[in-house]
Amino acid sequence: MSKHTKRNAPPSPAPKPAPFRYRDNNPQNLIPDLDDEQFDALTAVLRALAKGSYPRLDAVPLALNAYNCINNRGDDNDMPWAYFHTVTLVAPEGTPMKTRPIIELDEAIIEDLEKPWVPLRSGGGGGSRQDSARYRFLCFIHKHRIDRRATFQKGVHTISIWDREWDELTWHDTYHAHRSTRRLEIKSFWQSAVAAGLIGSSTTTSSSSPSRTTFMSRIRYRTVYHCSAHIEATLRGLVPPRNTLWAVMGAALFHMNGARDPQVSIVPDCLELFGGQARVLLPRFFVHLLCLCLDARPGWSREEQRGWVGRLRVVERVAWLGLRARELLELRGLVAGEGEGERDWICEVLKI
């Protein structure tokens, strides 16, 4: 192809958040074309949040990826994104690893890793990112096995976040019990993981894939979280290990909300984050997924919309979710307070 042809070639379409498909190439349209399986997965997460129960683990990464599709929050479309890999199971310390963990990144993510990242700390937060990298964070939720005699639950969740702003990975562990063991487990996990596009060979380094040795030297183990221990001391009872799933989601949303903050990896150690109760965490996540799903089904009648939303009624034990979700709906202009909002009926159906 000649230089003249390259100069006059039409620009490539603006990227849109993976792993979804979209109906058109309009960069302003971030409503994904959800298939039935994806729609059911997002619905399962919404139902769990509304009931105060644990979300379906395999659906959580997809739902967090959907949080990138934000076009009604007052932000421009140049907000850096985060990508969530499927949940990985971490082998218990001391047990032989039968196979090496496989990290298979979406093709769009591998392509993005090959693009230059414009550092935020050098004033790169503005301007178009069409020709530069869009994904700041690559996130990996892990499930560890724990054995505490007072509970039948065996799963503790942690999260590793690769930050392209600093070219380093931070591992967040919000649970206090057996933490040193999990640190050994996660170190062994990343030492063994096959992650094409993220980790190179032990001897070579490229601009997009650091060598294994370099990658391992860039891991930060963030364990200064004491909230779960304080709760146990206050209640004189055990905090279920599985509660860490909400904490992991809270930490993930904290990063995504602060994607333009160079130091966003300093996550506060507080109850609002451990339970995801802060308005900008699970309540905003709930509202965004709710509206996204409704927008993704434009052919639904009002009766079909009301029937689906009726499955997401917020129960009393998570009244805080309903209260903060209503505030966010009002801020979006979807609930006017006088019955003139675009979707005023939602609050009535949700019982909030």
Side-chain angles (χ1 to χ4, degrees), residues 289-315:
L289 285 187
L290 172 69
C291 294
L292 189 73
C293 287
L294 287 173
D295 291 340
R297 291 294 183 265
W300 271 3
S301 66
R302 177 61 61 86
E303 289 72 23
E304 288 174 311
Q305 292 182 27
R306 292 178 68 99
W308 177 76
V309 173
R311 298 164 58 191
L312 312 176
R313 290 176 181 170
V314 180
V315 300

Side-chain angles (χ1 to χ4, degrees), residues 24-62:
D24 55 53
N25 291 326
N26 181 358
Q28 303 299 319
N29 177 24
L30 296 185
I31 304 301
D33 186 12
L34 300 174
D35 60 33
D36 289 342
E37 184 177 349
Q38 292 173 328
F39 190 87
D40 290 345
L42 299 188
T43 300
V45 172
L46 283 167
R47 291 189 70 183
L49 294 176
K51 295 179 182 299
S53 58
Y54 301 109
R56 204 180 82 197
L57 187 57
D58 68 297
V60 169
L62 182 73

Side-chain angles (χ1 to χ4, degrees), residues 135-324:
Y135 289 90
R136 175 178 175 181
F137 306 115
L138 272 64
C139 308
F140 307 89
I141 297 174
H142 312 287
K143 184 175 181 179
H144 306 249
R145 180 181 174 84
I146 190 173
D147 189 10
R148 297 191 76 186
R149 293 181 180 179
T151 178
F152 66 90
Q153 293 188 1
K154 303 298 182 183
V156 170
H157 301 91
T158 65
I159 185 169
S160 295
I161 302 179
W162 176 260
D163 186 351
R164 298 190 69 185
E165 178 70 13
W166 302 100
D167 279 340
E168 64 182 18
L169 182 140
T170 304
W171 175 66
H172 299 264
D173 184 3
T174 62
Y175 202 63
H176 62 290
H178 302 185
R179 185 174 277 156
S180 60
T181 299
R182 285 192 298 282
R183 177 168 174 158
L184 293 173
E185 291 172 351
I186 204 66
K187 185 175 182 179
S188 177
F189 174 89
W190 284 116
Q191 184 65 56
S192 303
V194 177
L198 178 63
I199 308 175
S201 70
S202 60
T203 58
T204 62
T205 303
S206 69
S207 59
S208 59
S209 301
S211 69
R212 177 81 58 181
T213 301
T214 301
F215 181 88
M216 295 303 296
S217 71
R218 292 178 180 173
I219 299 179
R220 296 170 56 201
Y221 301 91
R222 183 166 170 78
T223 59
V224 288
Y225 297 103
H226 309 290
C227 191
S228 59
H230 294 331
I231 294 172
E232 288 194 358
T234 301
L235 298 179
R236 277 74 168 176
L238 186 121
V239 172
R242 200 176 176 188
N243 281 21
T244 51
L245 181 55
W246 293 319
V248 160
M249 295 174 71
L253 293 166
F254 181 84
H255 276 75
M256 297 173 83
N257 290 336
R260 288 198 178 100
D261 178 2
Q263 302 295 341
V264 73
S265 64
I266 304 175
V267 179
D269 177 27
C270 61
L271 181 62
E272 289 77 11
L273 188 131
F274 186 75
Q277 296 149 286
R279 189 177 72 173
V280 296
L281 298 180
L282 289 182
R284 177 186 283 177
F285 181 59
F286 179 84
V287 167
H288 176 64
L289 285 187
L290 172 69
C291 294
L292 189 73
C293 287
L294 287 173
D295 291 340
R297 291 294 183 265
W300 271 3
S301 66
R302 177 61 61 86
E303 289 72 23
E304 288 174 311
Q305 292 182 27
R306 292 178 68 99
W308 177 76
V309 173
R311 298 164 58 191
L312 312 176
R313 290 176 181 170
V314 180
V315 300
E316 187 174 355
R317 70 168 172 257
V318 285
W320 54 268
L321 176 67
L323 176 63
R324 292 162 192 170

